[in-house]
Amino acid sequence: MIDSTTAHSNEAKFLHTVRESLVPGAKEVRQKKDFLHIFQKTDCLQSVERIQQRNDLDFVNLIASFKENCTPLNLGVHRVRNLYEAGEWITQFARSAEPEFDIEKHIIQHAHPDTHELQLWKRLANDPITVHTTFTEDTEIAEKTRASFIGITVADWGIAESATLVQVTAPSRPRSTSLVPSIHIGILRKNRLLANLAEAYAMLQHNGINSSFTFISGPSKTGDIEAHMVHGAHGPREMHVLIVE
Amino acid sequence: MKPSTISYTDGAKAGLANATLQKSLKKIQNGFGKKAMRHWQTMTDSDLRPRAKARRMQTLEHLDIVLAELAEKIREHGGHVYFAATAEDAVRYTLQVAERNKVNKVVKGKSMTSAEIGIDPALQNAGIEVVETDLGEYIIQLAEDAPSHIIAPCIHMDRFQIGKLFTDKLGHEYSDDPPTLTRMARKSLREKLLSADMGITGCNIACAETGQISLVSNEGNIRMSTTMPRVHVALMGMERIAATFDEHRELLQLLITGATVQKLSTYVSFVGGPRHEGDPDGPEEFHLIVIDNGRSKILADPEFREVLACIRCGACLNICPVYGRIGGHAYNSHYCGPIGAVVTPLLNGINDHADLCKGETLCGACKDVCPVENDLPRMLSALRHKLAYGDKYWQVKPYNRIEAAGFKGWRKAISSRKAYNMLLKVGRFLQKGRIAENGMISSMPGPAGKWTRDRDLKPLATETFTERWRKHHSSRKMEEKS
Ligand code: SF4
């Protein structure tokens, strides 16, 4: 392994070459503090305030736009009044949907107050369907995720313009839940809807970015064979968003 | 995979003769190319492209500072950053990481930089299995072929060839149905993705402010490659970076519009370090390799610095009339199309890749469609200029001394009326008997024969404009007199 001192001198040499290409003959290392203008952030507060002041009518419009943009992506979208109804919907869905890789039916859901309210383990208690939750203490999450045909996540935000769910990684919210199972169901609270990508960037920035995050817009797809669109390349082949009002 | 080693002309001929390729090229150009162009013309924020370009150039002008910031932030997240001056450095470092982690299997997300540095053969020589996971790249890897488009690598193959390939190499029952073929690949690749020890990806656009790289895909293979294996190594050309999060957003939007005119690709993931404590997935180790490999030389030349603004969206391929005919293989490079015609000579030698800049027509379509308004035609002309007159910085030898001498003579000839008239006479004499039925000259003797090998030449007029003018002018004078 290259030890840290070699890596360091290596870095200095590399950056020196870059600097030489830009300001030939410069002796000193250029410091960030002398060039703050290139790191000038735009103020996200204004956008955040505007977002927080949205009223019911605004949300009606955002939902309409989100829905419209789901269609070309082959992304199912369903409006439910509350999490109870969402739980009902998922229960019905899980009973009729068929697993792709296994015979048994397993479901994995993010550990989140909203998924708790779905009460899936109760509803499915008498069905041959096992429900797992991604609690941090569980050391078998990886295996359970692989065995599951449905993954349920709660989106941090939704973007209406592109029918996108924003998913920020957290200890009890692993990345694979929305990726490895064949069907991904995303729960999105109405007031988490944003208009466009710029608003999503503003909210992310406002909340502080400390971990990885992902934008998800529809099921996995490929057009690599004769530009023929096929869903389910590597990620989920089917995706549904439940908008909770 | 290595690009082929056939000549530009032979590659072009092969491309023209490949009916599948021709069909796909037409489809891509009529679809993505035209759509992107329309999008730019009708979008409301018409200032976006010039604004993003100006910021992009600003970031490039401060690249040392921005890269240092990115490295610092990634290390804060617990990631490793290695700066590789050359392809060999990058390969060596990757091998060391693989060895230390006892890696047996590597899954790759599509990355042109990985092809540029030749990581696959190096890993394979070390006894490591390497699997491309982008469906197109996977097909190319199975066929031991080279990609022919930046975002649609196997457009030169049809479903029948792919079906046969899957039967031969994977032992599947033959099918030529794209959904069935995709499902076959999904199954085999899923196993690989879930069992690999290391994921290697490129980097679409890094962001110094947040200390992350971002990766774009529709298939989800890149998310898989960066989530499931224990180690993630990201290869990044040193110019692929935005200073701020805001700059990142605009570039991301431009990249996706340029590439596929989607509103957002299915997956855009932002990663900048290993998994956090308590995370059940994500890599245990994250390495970012920042690669120079000839880029600082481009950066230092104001004439070509602009080409580093490229975000590799492939839009210029989708509009170029030359690429649209000959396809990607003729370019003999990991980077094809108009962007390849500029960047390949700069990275790999201008003399060695002289045909590329001469093959393009300078029609300007690539500049019009480019999300960062890269003036590729200007740079193509600059390359031609260097080939004609030689260049010390780029170590270019004048390409063709005979041609240069010819043009010198021509300059003399056309500045003397007498000499020019003489030449006309000689020319008319020589072309006698060479004019074919279609009124064109289709073969010329000696070295001039190259010119007519693939096209016809219009013969000299029996009377030039000046000659006719003289005739009519004098006859009019006579009329006036009478
Ligand atoms: S030169 Fe422009 S159009 Fe071509 S790949 Fe680069 S960014 Fe895209």
Side-chain angles (χ1 to χ4, degrees), chain B residues 67 70-71 74-75 79-84 93 201-203 206 211-213 232-237 241 271-272 286-291:
Chain B
L67 284 174
L70 174 73
I74 289 191
R75 287 185 185 128
H80 302 270
V81 183
Y82 178 71
F83 286 88
Y93 182 82
T201 67
C203 158
Q212 288 175 318
I213 62 162
H232 173 198
V233 174
L235 307 167
M236 165 189 161
I241 184 168
V271 293
F286 171 78
H287 297 263
L288 176 66
I289 305 182
V290 185
I291 297 166

Side-chain angles (χ1 to χ4, degrees), chain A residues 19-86:
Chain A
R19 191 170 65 249
E20 259 312 293
S21 309
L22 293 163
V23 272
K27 294 214 175 53
E28 309 257 313
V29 171
R30 298 201 286 177
Q31 303 285 352
K32 179 188 171 189
K33 63 174 171 30
D34 302 323
F35 295 90
L36 286 176
H37 66 283
I38 54 171
F39 293 102
Q40 190 99 53
K41 291 185 197 183
T42 37
D43 191 9
C44 60
L45 265 181
Q46 243 178 340
S47 320
V48 172
E49 266 167 32
R50 194 189 55 237
I51 291 163
Q52 282 164 348
Q53 279 161 12
R54 290 219 158 103
N55 59 30
D56 275 350
L57 182 65
D58 294 333
F59 283 116
V60 168
N61 290 331
L62 285 179
I63 292 174
S65 144
F66 189 95
K67 259 190 111 162
E68 198 186 305
N69 290 318
C70 279
T71 322
L73 300 178
N74 218 347
L75 169 56
V77 57
H78 316 275
R79 296 168 68 167
V80 290
R81 262 175 301 177
N82 45 43
L83 287 162
Y84 182 85
E85 233 180 81

Side-chain angles (χ1 to χ4, degrees), chain B residues 40 112 150 254-255 258-259 306-307 309-319 336-340 365-367 369-376 379:
Chain B
W40 303 135
M112 277 176 287
I150 293 185
L254 288 171
L255 168 67
E306 184 185 1
V307 82
C310 170
I311 46 178
R312 299 280 188 276
C313 68
C316 53
L317 279 62
N318 298 343
I319 206 85
C336 57
I339 177 63
C366 49
K367 184 187 175 195
V369 85
C370 174
V372 289
E373 301 185 325
N374 263 354
D375 199 343
L376 296 173
M379 291 184 268

